[in-house]
Amino acid sequence: MELHDIWFVVIAFLWTGYFFLEGFDFGVGVLTKLLARDRVEKRVLINTIGPVWDGNEVWLLTAGGATFAAFPDWYATLFSGFYLPLLVILVCLIVRGVAFEYRAKRPEEKWQHNWEQAIFWTSLIPAFLWGVAFANIVRGVEIDASKEYVGTLFDLFNPFALLGGLVTLTLFTFHGAVFTALKTVGEIRVRARRLALTLGLVAVALAVAFLGWLQVSRGDGSSLVAMMIAAVALVLAVVAIKAGREGWSFALSGVTIAAAVAMLFLTLFPNVMPSSLDPDWSLTVSNSASSPYTLKIMTWLAVIAAPLVMLYQGWTYWVFRKRIGTQHIADAH
């Protein structure tokens, strides 16, 4: 296996980690409007992800940086062609971080309400747009012989991409509802289970439709196996949450995300951005990669740094592993 193939796998792993971790905190952000009944319950939801949301975003920075260093042509075409959707995602992530930090800085109800609205929308919009972006990547976009995107913004919002956006939105919200049930106690935990069951059934229907469409259009034997794992894991996650087994349900919803991302990258390889105009104009792992020397240096750095970062983040989750409820929220002053 060549180094550029290894880095394709590494980037797939980084996106899997990002969608697994950021997926549930996007979901919790959406649930601040769908699940919480009052200001105290919103504080409970926000506190479940308060210690970890910023660490989860490190995976996005690492995935973007790895793509820039390992596949500069892929990075350039992706970020120029998908400029507006990615800019919207970036703005949402910036505002979302500010909202988490500023929400409790002043006691006025209107101030806190506005930041809570920001948390909801800046969680929902990226959860949808990431699905739109990756659906377009695997479907193929208008790339010419110069490796430049020549389509329009409206070309990105095609039926397949819109379905992909609905899949990520519902799947992340389900993932967040299961995480909420896993991290809370009391009435909010019970309602999170009920909502997770409903969201899970919707996610199953949408995910089967989207992954089945992808399999028929671009899949092979390996992607079929990944699709079956994703579908079975999602169904079992719904069964587990119905039985009150939040831990199993959360693990299985994570398997669903990992298998779905694996299927996307399996259908993509050896391309990184297929051209819908001419297959010969597609960006591949070989024609868009950096030099072997650059990839070798990156590999040594990754081998040294990645385990340390993962150990630290795992330790963070261990420290903040206990459940919380409304009784743990101090009175506002």
Side-chain angles (χ1 to χ4, degrees):
M1 181 180 286
E2 300 288 340
L3 278 177
H4 52 64
D5 296 329
I6 293 174
W7 274 97
F8 181 83
V9 175
V10 170
I11 289 171
F13 172 75
L14 293 172
W15 280 109
T16 301
Y18 174 66
F19 287 143
F20 175 83
L21 297 173
E22 189 87 302
F24 73 73
D25 75 46
F26 279 151
V28 172
V30 174
L31 293 175
T32 56
K33 185 176 285 290
L34 301 183
L35 180 64
R37 290 179 174 174
D38 54 34
R39 180 72 27 87
V40 174
E41 290 191 351
K42 287 182 180 180
R43 291 174 64 189
V44 171
L45 291 176
I46 293 170
N47 286 353
T48 62
I49 58 174
V52 298
W53 68 267
D54 49 353
N56 294 344
E57 292 186 356
V58 171
W59 288 78
L60 173 61
L61 299 175
T62 308
T67 304
F68 173 76
F71 301 99
D73 288 339
W74 181 13
Y75 182 92
T77 303
L78 175 64
F79 279 80
S80 60
F82 293 21
Y83 180 80
L84 284 178
L86 293 178
L87 177 62
V88 171
I89 291 174
L90 178 60
V91 171
C92 283
L93 294 180
I94 293 171
V95 174
R96 188 169 182 261
V98 174
F100 281 128
E101 298 296 333
Y102 275 47
R103 178 192 165 277
K105 296 298 184 183
R106 288 172 57 179
E108 292 89 344
E109 182 175 343
K110 183 176 181 181
W111 170 274
Q112 295 189 2
H113 174 75
N114 288 339
W115 286 120
E116 288 163 0
Q117 290 282 0
I119 291 172
F120 169 75
W121 288 108
T122 57
S123 298
L124 184 148
I125 293 172
F128 176 75
L129 288 180
W130 279 127
V132 171
F134 271 85
N136 276 297
I137 291 173
V138 297
R139 172 181 174 268
V141 292
E142 292 84 349
I143 299 175
D144 64 13
S146 302
K147 301 180 181 179
E148 294 183 1
Y149 176 73
V150 294
T152 67
L153 174 64
F154 297 103
D155 292 332
L156 299 178
F157 291 93
N158 53 78
F160 182 73
L162 292 174
L163 179 58
L166 291 176
V167 169
T168 53
L169 176 58
T170 55
L171 184 56
F172 290 170
T173 309
F174 168 69
H175 197 41
V178 174
F179 179 79
T180 300
L182 181 63
K183 285 286 293 180
T184 57
V185 294
E187 175 63 22
I188 194 170
R189 178 187 179 191
V190 176
R191 283 189 278 113
R193 282 183 187 171
R194 290 200 297 262
L195 183 57
L197 182 59
T198 302
L199 289 168
L201 294 174
V202 175
V204 168
L206 292 175
V208 169
F210 175 73
L211 296 179
W213 189 348
L214 176 61
Q215 176 64 28
V216 170
S217 60
R218 292 189 173 274
D220 56 16
S222 59
S223 63
L224 178 61
V225 171
M227 184 190 77
M228 293 177 65
I229 292 173
V232 171
L234 184 54
V235 171
L236 291 177
V238 175
V239 172
I241 196 64
K242 181 176 176 58
R245 304 298 298 271
E246 298 104 337
W248 279 105
S249 183
F250 184 70
L252 287 164
S253 64
V255 171
T256 301
I257 292 173
V261 175
M263 182 185 179
L264 294 179
F265 279 86
L266 285 169
T267 56
L268 197 57
F269 187 81
N271 295 319
V272 292
M273 284 193 74
S275 172
S276 60
L277 300 178
D278 188 333
D280 292 335
W281 295 345
S282 297
L283 298 179
T284 67
V285 292
S286 56
N287 69 16
S288 63
S290 294
S291 67
Y293 181 71
T294 300
L295 295 176
K296 184 181 294 185
I297 294 175
M298 290 176 58
T299 302
W300 281 110
L301 291 174
V303 167
I304 295 170
L308 298 176
V309 174
M310 294 175 67
L311 284 172
Y312 174 77
Q313 191 165 22
W315 176 78
T316 303
Y317 276 91
W318 175 257
V319 169
F320 296 101
R321 67 189 181 278
K322 292 185 178 180
R323 296 177 183 266
I324 63 172
T326 54
Q327 67 270 29
H328 300 114
I329 302 299
D331 292 336
H333 297 286

